[in-house]
Short mmCIF file of all heavy atoms in Angstrom, two decimals:
data_model
loop_
_atom_site.label_atom_id
_atom_site.label_comp_id
_atom_site.label_asym_id
_atom_site.label_seq_id
_atom_site.Cartn_x
_atom_site.Cartn_y
_atom_site.Cartn_z
N HIS A 145 -19.37 9.47 3.05
CA HIS A 145 -18.11 10.28 3.43
C HIS A 145 -18.38 11.72 3.73
O HIS A 145 -17.78 12.21 4.77
CB HIS A 145 -17.29 10.28 2.05
CG HIS A 145 -16.17 11.21 2.00
ND1 HIS A 145 -14.99 11.09 2.73
CD2 HIS A 145 -16.13 12.43 1.30
CE1 HIS A 145 -14.13 12.13 2.42
NE2 HIS A 145 -14.77 12.88 1.60
N MET A 146 -19.30 12.39 3.09
CA MET A 146 -19.64 13.75 3.39
C MET A 146 -20.29 13.91 4.80
O MET A 146 -19.91 14.82 5.54
CB MET A 146 -20.52 14.40 2.27
CG MET A 146 -19.89 14.58 1.04
SD MET A 146 -21.02 15.12 -0.36
CE MET A 146 -21.45 16.61 0.34
N ALA A 147 -21.19 12.91 5.12
CA ALA A 147 -21.89 13.02 6.40
C ALA A 147 -20.89 12.75 7.52
O ALA A 147 -20.95 13.47 8.54
CB ALA A 147 -22.97 11.88 6.37
N VAL A 148 -20.04 11.79 7.44
CA VAL A 148 -19.06 11.55 8.45
C VAL A 148 -18.07 12.65 8.63
O VAL A 148 -17.77 13.19 9.83
CB VAL A 148 -18.26 10.21 8.17
CG1 VAL A 148 -17.12 10.00 9.24
CG2 VAL A 148 -19.26 9.00 8.30
N ALA A 149 -17.55 13.24 7.56
CA ALA A 149 -16.67 14.35 7.61
C ALA A 149 -17.27 15.58 8.22
O ALA A 149 -16.79 16.17 9.07
CB ALA A 149 -16.13 14.61 6.27
N LEU A 150 -18.60 15.73 7.88
CA LEU A 150 -19.17 16.90 8.52
C LEU A 150 -19.53 16.74 9.87
O LEU A 150 -19.41 17.69 10.75
CB LEU A 150 -20.57 17.20 7.75
CG LEU A 150 -21.46 18.30 8.22
CD1 LEU A 150 -20.66 19.76 8.15
CD2 LEU A 150 -22.68 18.42 7.38
N GLY A 151 -19.91 15.49 10.28
CA GLY A 151 -20.10 15.18 11.76
C GLY A 151 -18.92 15.40 12.56
O GLY A 151 -18.88 15.99 13.65
N LEU A 152 -17.77 15.02 12.02
CA LEU A 152 -16.45 15.24 12.78
C LEU A 152 -16.20 16.68 12.82
O LEU A 152 -15.59 17.15 13.88
CB LEU A 152 -15.28 14.38 12.09
CG LEU A 152 -15.40 12.93 12.18
CD1 LEU A 152 -14.37 12.22 11.31
CD2 LEU A 152 -15.34 12.37 13.58
N ALA A 153 -16.33 17.37 11.83
CA ALA A 153 -16.05 18.81 11.73
C ALA A 153 -16.86 19.54 12.83
O ALA A 153 -16.42 20.38 13.43
CB ALA A 153 -16.31 19.44 10.39
N LEU A 154 -18.16 19.16 12.88
CA LEU A 154 -19.03 19.74 13.96
C LEU A 154 -18.52 19.49 15.29
O LEU A 154 -18.62 20.35 16.26
CB LEU A 154 -20.55 19.21 13.74
CG LEU A 154 -21.23 19.84 12.38
CD1 LEU A 154 -22.51 19.06 12.22
CD2 LEU A 154 -21.48 21.31 12.47
N LEU A 155 -18.15 18.28 15.58
CA LEU A 155 -17.61 17.91 16.87
C LEU A 155 -16.31 18.73 17.09
O LEU A 155 -16.14 19.24 18.28
CB LEU A 155 -17.29 16.41 16.93
CG LEU A 155 -18.50 15.52 17.08
CD1 LEU A 155 -18.09 14.06 16.96
CD2 LEU A 155 -19.35 15.78 18.23
N LEU A 156 -15.52 18.85 16.18
CA LEU A 156 -14.20 19.69 16.46
C LEU A 156 -14.45 21.08 16.45
O LEU A 156 -13.45 21.78 17.00
CB LEU A 156 -13.19 19.22 15.31
CG LEU A 156 -12.58 17.82 15.29
CD1 LEU A 156 -11.68 17.70 14.05
CD2 LEU A 156 -11.98 17.51 16.52
N ASN A 157 -15.62 21.58 16.03
CA ASN A 157 -15.87 23.04 16.07
C ASN A 157 -16.32 23.37 17.43
O ASN A 157 -16.48 24.57 17.80
CB ASN A 157 -16.90 23.35 14.99
CG ASN A 157 -17.03 24.86 14.75
OD1 ASN A 157 -15.97 25.51 14.63
ND2 ASN A 157 -18.24 25.32 14.63
N ALA A 158 -16.71 22.43 18.23
CA ALA A 158 -17.25 22.63 19.65
C ALA A 158 -16.08 23.13 20.47
O ALA A 158 -14.90 22.70 20.26
CB ALA A 158 -17.90 21.42 20.29
N ARG A 159 -16.37 23.83 21.42
CA ARG A 159 -15.39 24.46 22.28
C ARG A 159 -15.07 23.53 23.48
O ARG A 159 -15.53 23.61 24.60
CB ARG A 159 -15.76 25.85 22.91
CG ARG A 159 -15.95 26.82 21.73
CD ARG A 159 -16.56 28.17 22.29
NE ARG A 159 -16.77 29.10 21.21
CZ ARG A 159 -17.38 30.33 21.43
NH1 ARG A 159 -17.74 30.64 22.62
NH2 ARG A 159 -17.54 31.15 20.39
N VAL A 160 -14.22 22.52 23.12
CA VAL A 160 -13.81 21.50 24.11
C VAL A 160 -12.22 21.44 24.19
O VAL A 160 -11.65 21.79 23.24
CB VAL A 160 -14.40 20.18 23.83
CG1 VAL A 160 -15.89 20.14 23.89
CG2 VAL A 160 -13.98 19.68 22.50
N ARG A 161 -11.83 20.80 25.28
CA ARG A 161 -10.30 20.63 25.35
C ARG A 161 -9.83 19.61 24.49
O ARG A 161 -10.51 18.60 24.23
CB ARG A 161 -10.01 20.38 26.90
CG ARG A 161 -10.43 21.52 27.85
CD ARG A 161 -10.03 21.21 29.32
NE ARG A 161 -8.59 20.91 29.36
CZ ARG A 161 -8.01 20.57 30.55
NH1 ARG A 161 -8.71 20.38 31.60
NH2 ARG A 161 -6.69 20.46 30.51
N GLY A 162 -8.60 19.75 24.13
CA GLY A 162 -7.89 18.69 23.20
C GLY A 162 -8.31 18.64 21.81
O GLY A 162 -7.95 17.63 21.06
N VAL A 163 -8.93 19.82 21.39
CA VAL A 163 -9.30 19.79 19.85
C VAL A 163 -8.09 19.66 18.94
O VAL A 163 -8.19 18.83 17.92
CB VAL A 163 -10.11 21.07 19.63
CG1 VAL A 163 -10.20 21.25 18.15
CG2 VAL A 163 -11.43 21.09 20.19
N PRO A 164 -6.89 20.35 19.25
CA PRO A 164 -5.79 19.97 18.23
C PRO A 164 -5.36 18.50 18.19
O PRO A 164 -5.12 17.96 17.02
CB PRO A 164 -4.67 20.81 18.84
CG PRO A 164 -5.43 21.96 19.51
CD PRO A 164 -6.64 21.30 20.13
N LEU A 165 -5.41 17.81 19.29
CA LEU A 165 -5.13 16.34 19.37
C LEU A 165 -6.06 15.56 18.59
O LEU A 165 -5.67 14.79 17.69
CB LEU A 165 -5.00 15.90 20.83
CG LEU A 165 -4.76 14.48 21.06
CD1 LEU A 165 -3.40 14.10 20.51
CD2 LEU A 165 -4.85 14.06 22.53
N TRP A 166 -7.40 15.81 18.74
CA TRP A 166 -8.41 15.06 18.03
C TRP A 166 -8.37 15.43 16.51
O TRP A 166 -8.53 14.51 15.63
CB TRP A 166 -9.83 15.37 18.55
CG TRP A 166 -10.03 14.83 19.85
CD1 TRP A 166 -10.15 15.53 21.10
CD2 TRP A 166 -10.29 13.35 20.27
NE1 TRP A 166 -10.36 14.66 22.12
CE2 TRP A 166 -10.39 13.34 21.68
CE3 TRP A 166 -10.16 12.29 19.53
CZ2 TRP A 166 -10.56 12.13 22.29
CZ3 TRP A 166 -10.27 11.09 20.15
CH2 TRP A 166 -10.51 10.90 21.45
N ARG A 167 -8.07 16.63 16.25
CA ARG A 167 -8.02 17.09 14.85
C ARG A 167 -6.95 16.39 14.08
O ARG A 167 -7.02 15.82 12.99
CB ARG A 167 -7.81 18.51 14.72
CG ARG A 167 -7.91 19.19 13.32
CD ARG A 167 -7.62 20.62 13.37
NE ARG A 167 -8.35 21.30 14.26
CZ ARG A 167 -8.30 22.61 14.75
NH1 ARG A 167 -7.21 23.29 14.36
NH2 ARG A 167 -9.14 23.10 15.53
N THR A 168 -5.76 16.18 14.80
CA THR A 168 -4.54 15.45 14.14
C THR A 168 -4.88 13.87 14.05
O THR A 168 -4.61 13.24 13.02
CB THR A 168 -3.41 15.60 15.16
OG1 THR A 168 -3.02 16.97 15.22
CG2 THR A 168 -2.18 14.84 14.55
N ALA A 169 -5.57 13.41 15.10
CA ALA A 169 -5.95 11.99 14.97
C ALA A 169 -6.86 11.68 13.96
O ALA A 169 -6.70 10.65 13.19
CB ALA A 169 -6.53 11.54 16.36
N PHE A 170 -7.86 12.61 13.73
CA PHE A 170 -8.83 12.27 12.62
C PHE A 170 -8.12 12.52 11.19
O PHE A 170 -8.63 11.92 10.27
CB PHE A 170 -10.05 13.20 12.79
CG PHE A 170 -10.88 12.81 14.02
CD1 PHE A 170 -11.47 13.78 14.79
CD2 PHE A 170 -11.06 11.50 14.29
CE1 PHE A 170 -12.28 13.47 15.81
CE2 PHE A 170 -11.91 11.14 15.35
CZ PHE A 170 -12.50 12.09 16.19
N TYR A 171 -7.23 13.43 11.13
CA TYR A 171 -6.62 13.71 9.88
C TYR A 171 -5.60 12.74 9.40
O TYR A 171 -5.26 12.52 8.19
CB TYR A 171 -6.04 15.19 9.92
CG TYR A 171 -5.45 15.56 8.65
CD1 TYR A 171 -6.20 15.90 7.51
CD2 TYR A 171 -4.01 15.76 8.54
CE1 TYR A 171 -5.70 16.29 6.41
CE2 TYR A 171 -3.55 16.10 7.21
CZ TYR A 171 -4.31 16.35 6.28
OH TYR A 171 -3.72 16.78 5.02
N LEU A 172 -4.88 12.16 10.32
CA LEU A 172 -3.71 11.27 9.96
C LEU A 172 -4.15 10.12 8.95
O LEU A 172 -3.29 9.85 8.09
CB LEU A 172 -3.15 10.64 11.30
CG LEU A 172 -2.16 11.48 12.07
CD1 LEU A 172 -1.74 10.74 13.34
CD2 LEU A 172 -0.92 11.69 11.14
N PRO A 173 -5.23 9.53 9.12
CA PRO A 173 -5.54 8.46 8.09
C PRO A 173 -5.58 8.94 6.64
O PRO A 173 -5.27 8.22 5.67
CB PRO A 173 -6.94 7.96 8.54
CG PRO A 173 -6.99 8.13 10.01
CD PRO A 173 -6.31 9.51 10.24
N SER A 174 -5.90 10.26 6.40
CA SER A 174 -6.02 10.69 5.10
C SER A 174 -4.71 10.86 4.46
O SER A 174 -4.57 11.08 3.25
CB SER A 174 -6.81 12.00 5.10
OG SER A 174 -6.07 13.06 5.74
N ILE A 175 -3.59 11.04 5.17
CA ILE A 175 -2.33 11.14 4.64
C ILE A 175 -1.53 9.88 4.78
O ILE A 175 -0.26 9.78 4.41
CB ILE A 175 -1.45 12.32 5.37
CG1 ILE A 175 -1.35 12.10 6.80
CG2 ILE A 175 -2.13 13.60 5.12
CD1 ILE A 175 -0.44 13.03 7.52
N THR A 176 -2.13 8.81 5.15
CA THR A 176 -1.45 7.44 5.23
C THR A 176 -1.46 6.83 3.92
O THR A 176 -2.52 7.02 3.14
CB THR A 176 -2.16 6.49 6.21
OG1 THR A 176 -2.22 7.16 7.53
CG2 THR A 176 -1.44 5.17 6.32
N PRO A 177 -0.48 6.36 3.36
CA PRO A 177 -0.36 5.72 2.04
C PRO A 177 -1.59 4.70 1.78
O PRO A 177 -1.87 4.04 2.75
CB PRO A 177 0.97 5.10 1.92
CG PRO A 177 1.74 5.87 2.88
CD PRO A 177 0.94 6.29 3.92
N VAL A 178 -2.21 4.72 0.57
CA VAL A 178 -3.29 3.90 0.27
C VAL A 178 -3.00 2.43 0.52
O VAL A 178 -3.85 1.68 1.04
CB VAL A 178 -3.80 4.23 -1.13
CG1 VAL A 178 -4.88 3.19 -1.53
CG2 VAL A 178 -4.28 5.62 -1.29
N VAL A 179 -1.80 2.04 0.18
CA VAL A 179 -1.47 0.61 0.36
C VAL A 179 -1.42 0.26 1.68
O VAL A 179 -1.96 -0.83 2.10
CB VAL A 179 -0.07 0.39 -0.38
CG1 VAL A 179 0.41 -1.01 -0.11
CG2 VAL A 179 -0.10 0.57 -1.97
N ALA A 180 -0.80 1.17 2.51
CA ALA A 180 -0.79 0.76 4.06
C ALA A 180 -2.17 0.73 4.62
O ALA A 180 -2.46 -0.09 5.48
CB ALA A 180 0.04 1.92 4.73
N VAL A 181 -3.04 1.67 4.19
CA VAL A 181 -4.45 1.62 4.62
C VAL A 181 -5.05 0.30 4.21
O VAL A 181 -5.80 -0.37 5.08
CB VAL A 181 -5.20 2.84 4.17
CG1 VAL A 181 -6.70 2.67 4.41
CG2 VAL A 181 -4.64 4.05 4.77
N ALA A 182 -5.00 -0.08 2.96
CA ALA A 182 -5.64 -1.30 2.51
C ALA A 182 -5.10 -2.56 3.35
O ALA A 182 -5.85 -3.48 3.60
CB ALA A 182 -5.38 -1.48 0.98
N LEU A 183 -3.77 -2.59 3.52
CA LEU A 183 -3.20 -3.75 4.30
C LEU A 183 -3.75 -3.73 5.70
O LEU A 183 -4.10 -4.82 6.28
CB LEU A 183 -1.64 -3.62 4.28
CG LEU A 183 -0.98 -3.94 3.01
CD1 LEU A 183 0.53 -3.68 3.09
CD2 LEU A 183 -1.23 -5.33 2.49
N LEU A 184 -3.88 -2.52 6.35
CA LEU A 184 -4.47 -2.46 7.70
C LEU A 184 -5.83 -2.93 7.80
O LEU A 184 -6.31 -3.76 8.49
CB LEU A 184 -4.39 -1.04 8.11
CG LEU A 184 -5.19 -0.79 9.55
CD1 LEU A 184 -4.48 -1.58 10.71
CD2 LEU A 184 -5.06 0.75 9.88
N TRP A 185 -6.69 -2.62 6.78
CA TRP A 185 -8.04 -2.91 6.67
C TRP A 185 -8.32 -4.37 6.17
O TRP A 185 -9.32 -4.99 6.49
CB TRP A 185 -8.90 -2.04 5.83
CG TRP A 185 -9.19 -0.71 6.55
CD1 TRP A 185 -8.42 0.33 6.84
CD2 TRP A 185 -10.50 -0.53 7.31
NE1 TRP A 185 -9.13 1.24 7.63
CE2 TRP A 185 -10.35 0.82 7.88
CE3 TRP A 185 -11.63 -1.16 7.48
CZ2 TRP A 185 -11.40 1.29 8.71
CZ3 TRP A 185 -12.58 -0.64 8.20
CH2 TRP A 185 -12.53 0.50 8.87
N ARG A 186 -7.22 -4.94 5.55
CA ARG A 186 -7.27 -6.38 5.31
C ARG A 186 -7.38 -7.23 6.54
O ARG A 186 -8.17 -8.21 6.68
CB ARG A 186 -6.13 -6.74 4.43
CG ARG A 186 -6.15 -8.23 4.12
CD ARG A 186 -4.86 -8.81 3.43
NE ARG A 186 -4.79 -8.20 2.12
CZ ARG A 186 -3.74 -8.44 1.33
NH1 ARG A 186 -2.64 -9.07 1.79
NH2 ARG A 186 -3.73 -7.98 0.13
N PHE A 187 -6.74 -6.71 7.62
CA PHE A 187 -6.80 -7.46 8.89
C PHE A 187 -8.11 -7.15 9.67
O PHE A 187 -8.73 -8.03 10.28
CB PHE A 187 -5.58 -7.01 9.73
CG PHE A 187 -4.26 -7.62 9.18
CD1 PHE A 187 -3.31 -6.73 8.62
CD2 PHE A 187 -3.90 -8.92 9.48
CE1 PHE A 187 -2.20 -7.32 8.08
CE2 PHE A 187 -2.73 -9.48 8.88
CZ PHE A 187 -1.85 -8.63 8.25
N ILE A 188 -8.55 -5.88 9.63
CA ILE A 188 -9.70 -5.44 10.27
C ILE A 188 -10.96 -6.16 9.62
O ILE A 188 -11.86 -6.59 10.36
CB ILE A 188 -9.85 -3.92 10.14
CG1 ILE A 188 -8.73 -3.21 10.95
CG2 ILE A 188 -11.25 -3.45 10.70
CD1 ILE A 188 -8.64 -1.63 10.71
N LEU A 189 -10.90 -6.28 8.37
CA LEU A 189 -12.19 -6.90 7.72
C LEU A 189 -12.11 -8.37 7.48
O LEU A 189 -13.00 -9.00 6.82
CB LEU A 189 -12.35 -6.13 6.31
CG LEU A 189 -12.62 -4.64 6.46
CD1 LEU A 189 -12.69 -4.11 5.02
CD2 LEU A 189 -13.88 -4.27 7.18
N ASN A 190 -11.10 -8.96 7.96
CA ASN A 190 -10.88 -10.43 7.83
C ASN A 190 -12.04 -11.14 8.40
O ASN A 190 -12.45 -11.01 9.55
CB ASN A 190 -9.61 -10.96 8.54
CG ASN A 190 -9.26 -12.41 8.23
OD1 ASN A 190 -10.17 -13.21 8.37
ND2 ASN A 190 -8.18 -12.62 7.60
N PRO A 191 -12.85 -11.98 7.53
CA PRO A 191 -14.15 -12.62 8.02
C PRO A 191 -13.92 -13.46 9.15
O PRO A 191 -14.76 -13.68 10.08
CB PRO A 191 -14.68 -13.29 6.80
CG PRO A 191 -13.99 -12.64 5.64
CD PRO A 191 -12.61 -12.26 6.13
N ALA A 192 -12.79 -14.20 9.22
CA ALA A 192 -12.50 -15.31 10.27
C ALA A 192 -12.16 -14.64 11.59
O ALA A 192 -12.75 -14.96 12.61
CB ALA A 192 -11.37 -16.18 9.76
#
């Protein structure tokens, strides 16, 4: 968790276009309700 978050922060700290958009996209999952996240990942991680 710390490595991925630091990697994303380093990328967003670079001087590139669209940083506010990417920052919002990366932050949105953290404010999504836990139940909704778990239901979404139930489909993503489905073995079949």
Side-chain angles (χ1 to χ4, degrees):
H145 165 74
M146 294 175 62
V148 171
L150 179 57
L152 292 175
L154 290 170
L155 290 175
L156 293 177
N157 196 45
R159 297 175 181 176
V160 296
R161 297 180 61 181
V163 167
L165 176 63
W166 290 110
R167 189 182 304 166
T168 303
F170 291 142
Y171 180 70
L172 277 177
S174 66
I175 60 174
T176 305
V178 174
V179 173
V181 170
L183 290 174
L184 171 64
W185 277 84
R186 178 187 290 179
F187 293 103
I188 295 175
L189 297 176
N190 189 300

